[in-house]
Amino acid sequence: MDTTTERSTWAARSHELAQLMSRSALGDRDAFARLYDLTSGHLFAVVLRIQRDRALAEDLLQEVYVNVWRAVGSFDAAQSQPMTWLTSIARNKAIDSLRRAQSQPVLQSVHRDDDDDDRPDLDQQMADESAGPADLLAQAGDARRLNTCMQGLSAAQRQSVALAFFDGLSHAEVAAHLHQPLGTVKSWVRRALMSLKECLERAAQRDAVGV
C-alpha cells in the first residue's frame, strides 16, 4: 500500500469513527456497538502494553468503553482525531490502574510490522534485545528522565515516538498523520528509541554513583 492510499484509508476510518461517535452521543447503541467492533482491538493493545496482566487488561477495556459511552458527547472532531481521543481514555485508565497498585507502567510497542493488525505483538520493536527506553524508565521510576531525554530528539523524532508509544498509533497511522513515507517514520522511531535508550542508561548510571 503506497503512502497516498494509506493516508486515504486512515482519513476514511477517522471519518467513520467520528460519525459513529456522533451517533453514539445521541444514544445510538448500534453505532456504539460498531464503534466497539472497529476500535476494541486497538484499545486493548494500548491497555495491554501498560497493564500486562491480561485478565486485568480485559476488565479495564470494558471500563474504558463505559467511560467512552458516558463522555462521547464531549468529543470534538475539530480538536482531536477519534482514535487519539479514544486512545487517551484507554491509556489513562490503564495508567490509573497501575497507580492504584503503586506500580509504574511499562510501555512497549504493540503493533505488528504489517501495520494492519491491531492485536498485541510485544516484540521486535525495540532497537535491540536489551532493555528498551521504556523498560529503563520503569526501572528508574522517574518520568522526568524521559522528558529530559525526549528533548534531545529532533522534533520529528519526538512527534513520531509520542504518536506511536503514547497515542498508540501504528507506524502506518503515524505516517499518515505526519504526511511522511512509512519507511521514514519507521527510521525516525528506531533512531529515537536508540537515542532514548542511551540517554536513559546514562541517567541511570549517574544516579547509581550519586552524580
Side-chain angles (χ1 to χ4, degrees):
M1 183 182 295
D2 60 32
T3 302
T4 301
T5 302
E6 290 168 357
R7 293 174 186 168
S8 177
T9 300
W10 192 69
R13 186 173 74 162
S14 293
H15 180 68
E16 180 181 7
L17 294 179
Q19 287 187 322
L20 291 172
M21 292 167 70
S22 295
R23 289 165 53 194
S24 296
L26 298 175
D28 187 333
R29 293 185 179 274
D30 288 337
F32 189 72
R34 175 63 176 164
L35 180 69
Y36 180 91
D37 289 341
L38 291 176
T39 62
S40 58
H42 176 89
L43 296 191
F44 181 67
V46 171
V47 172
L48 189 61
R49 79 162 187 247
I50 300 171
Q51 174 52 263
R52 301 295 295 279
D53 184 315
R54 192 177 186 88
L56 289 177
E58 290 173 349
D59 290 341
L60 286 171
L61 182 66
Q62 301 311 309
E63 294 180 23
V64 166
Y65 279 96
V66 170
N67 287 0
V68 170
W69 176 256
R70 292 171 176 170
V72 70
S74 66
F75 171 72
D76 184 352
Q79 299 295 322
S80 176
Q81 292 290 334
M83 189 57 76
T84 300
W85 188 83
L86 293 167
T87 297
S88 177
I89 293 176
R91 185 180 65 249
N92 290 340
K93 175 63 70 172
I95 291 175
D96 285 346
S97 76
L98 291 180
R99 286 173 176 164
R100 289 194 299 266
Q102 297 183 341
S103 182
Q104 292 289 332
V106 178
L107 302 176
Q108 291 180 296
S109 177
V110 295
H111 295 290
R112 299 178 184 273
D113 287 339
D114 62 12
D115 294 310
D116 290 327
D117 191 342
D118 285 327
R119 294 174 297 171
D121 184 9
L122 301 176
D123 59 3
Q124 302 299 322
Q125 291 298 317
M126 293 303 176
D128 53 38
E129 294 299 324
S130 60
D135 298 311
L136 292 170
L137 175 64
Q139 295 165 12
D142 187 354
R144 288 176 296 180
R145 290 180 185 172
L146 180 59
N147 290 333
T148 299
C149 290
M150 286 283 283
Q151 296 308 308
L153 303 177
S154 69
Q157 288 175 331
R158 282 199 303 272
Q159 191 170 15
S160 297
V161 168
L163 290 170
F165 286 84
F166 298 108
D167 282 353
L169 301 186
S170 69
H171 287 144
E173 290 172 330
V174 174
H177 186 84
L178 299 179
H179 305 294
Q180 295 291 337
L182 179 58
T184 298
V185 166
K186 286 186 176 182
S187 177
W188 285 346
V189 171
R190 179 179 176 83
R191 291 177 182 176
L193 291 178
M194 292 175 66
S195 296
L196 287 174
K197 178 178 179 293
E198 293 172 358
C199 179
L200 289 168
E201 283 178 337
R202 290 195 298 269
Q205 291 171 356
R206 287 195 298 269
D207 286 354
V209 297
V211 176

